[in-house]
């Protein structure tokens, strides 16, 4: 029998989360899927928190690997593109945003922040502003995907006309935005542009 290694443990842990969600992740369940006893896993991950950190590292690896090369233009446009790739990486995995949000010691999340801040600073953004832009951008993206990945409850019985009467301005704004053929991806980018103080391209 080939000895179990850390990469196998992490791959199966990610498959477990993708199949059943983060709430199903436990060392006991993971061990059963791998055909070993739970104590065997302690050679590779010391506890569930460390396992979640490692899964977050793997997701952030995907985001960092897909981050665009800097072309010397507006660094905030580069950050917008990098955040878009972070969103893609989070969405690629069930509960991806919960995994990353719940990781306390993900070094690869730190690497993403370092890359983003270094790119901004190299393009003339002062350190203080770079830190705030990256922090706001990361938290905006993770929070956005947390909502995207939240399970939809059973729809209540809603009187659509009453809803429109109660929220006329909101209804008008939503209708106007999407009537131009925009998508949920456009909405993420357009709102992110406001967070990063980039020009509003919807006008």
């Amino acid at each position: 029998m080939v000895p179990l290694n850390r990469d196998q443990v992490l791959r199966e842990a990610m498959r477990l989360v993708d199949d059943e969600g983060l709430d199903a992740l436990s060392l006991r369940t993971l061990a059963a899927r791998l055909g070993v006893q739970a104590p065997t896993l302690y050679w590779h991950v010391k506890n569930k928190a460390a396992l979640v950190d490692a899964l977050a590292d793997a997701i952030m690896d995907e985001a960092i690997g897909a981050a665009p090369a800097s072309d010397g233009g507006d660094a905030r446009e580069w950050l917008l593109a990098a955040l878009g790739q972070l969103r893609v990486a989070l969405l690629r995995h069930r509960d991806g945003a919960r995994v990353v949000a719940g990781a306390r010691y993900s070094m690869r999340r730190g690497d993403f922040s370092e890359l983003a801040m270094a790119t901004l600073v190299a393009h003339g953004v002062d350190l203080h502003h770079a830190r705030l832009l990256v922090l706001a951008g990361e938290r905006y993206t993770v929070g956005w995907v947390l909502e995207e990945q939240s399970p939809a409850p059973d729809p209540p019985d809603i009187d659509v006309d009453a809803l429109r009467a109660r929220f006329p301005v909101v209804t008008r704004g939503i209708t106007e935005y999407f009537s131009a053929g925009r998508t949920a991806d456009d909405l993420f980018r357009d709102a992110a542009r406001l967070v990063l103080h980039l020009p509003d391209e919807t006008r």
Side-chain angles (χ1 to χ4, degrees):
M1 181 177 178
V2 178
L4 192 65
N5 61 50
R6 180 178 169 85
D7 286 344
Q8 289 173 298
V9 171
L10 297 183
R11 282 197 301 271
E12 191 59 37
M14 188 69 84
R15 279 194 286 266
L16 171 57
V17 172
D18 287 344
D19 290 343
E20 302 181 38
L22 182 58
D23 290 336
L25 180 65
S26 71
L27 292 180
R28 184 183 300 275
T29 303
L30 179 57
R33 287 175 64 116
L34 288 164
V36 299
Q37 296 298 312
T40 303
L41 299 183
Y42 293 119
W43 290 98
H44 309 288
V45 287
K46 64 181 181 179
N47 51 39
K48 182 177 175 179
L51 181 58
V52 172
D53 286 343
L55 294 180
D57 280 348
I59 293 171
M60 296 306 298
D61 269 341
E62 296 176 19
I64 293 169
S70 177
D71 61 3
D74 189 330
R76 292 173 303 165
E77 292 283 0
W78 175 90
L79 179 56
L80 176 63
L83 293 174
Q85 292 303 323
L86 173 57
R87 174 173 173 256
V88 168
L90 295 172
L91 287 172
R92 191 175 290 128
H93 300 283
R94 180 174 174 177
D95 290 335
R98 284 183 63 200
V99 170
V100 169
R104 290 293 174 263
Y105 300 102
S106 168
M107 294 297 103
R108 291 300 277 160
R109 187 170 184 181
D111 289 337
F112 183 92
S113 300
E114 178 69 20
L115 171 64
M117 286 185 62
T119 301
L120 292 177
V121 170
H123 287 76
V125 179
D126 70 83
L127 183 64
H128 176 77
H129 196 196
R131 172 58 180 152
L132 293 179
L133 279 173
V134 172
L135 182 63
E138 288 181 4
R139 292 191 176 180
Y140 160 81
T141 303
V142 173
W144 186 281
V145 179
L146 276 171
E147 184 168 322
E148 286 186 292
Q149 292 184 322
S150 295
D154 293 333
D157 292 329
I158 294 176
D159 184 331
V160 175
D161 290 334
L163 201 64
R164 288 173 177 161
R166 182 168 181 171
F167 306 113
V169 178
V170 171
T171 301
R172 195 165 70 246
I174 293 171
T175 301
E176 176 190 284
Y177 184 86
F178 288 107
S179 65
R182 298 186 183 99
T183 67
D185 293 340
D186 294 320
L187 186 60
F188 169 81
R189 284 190 296 270
D190 291 339
R193 295 186 74 83
L194 298 182
V195 172
L196 299 178
H197 300 287
L198 286 165
D200 181 358
E201 294 187 335
T202 63
R203 298 294 182 181

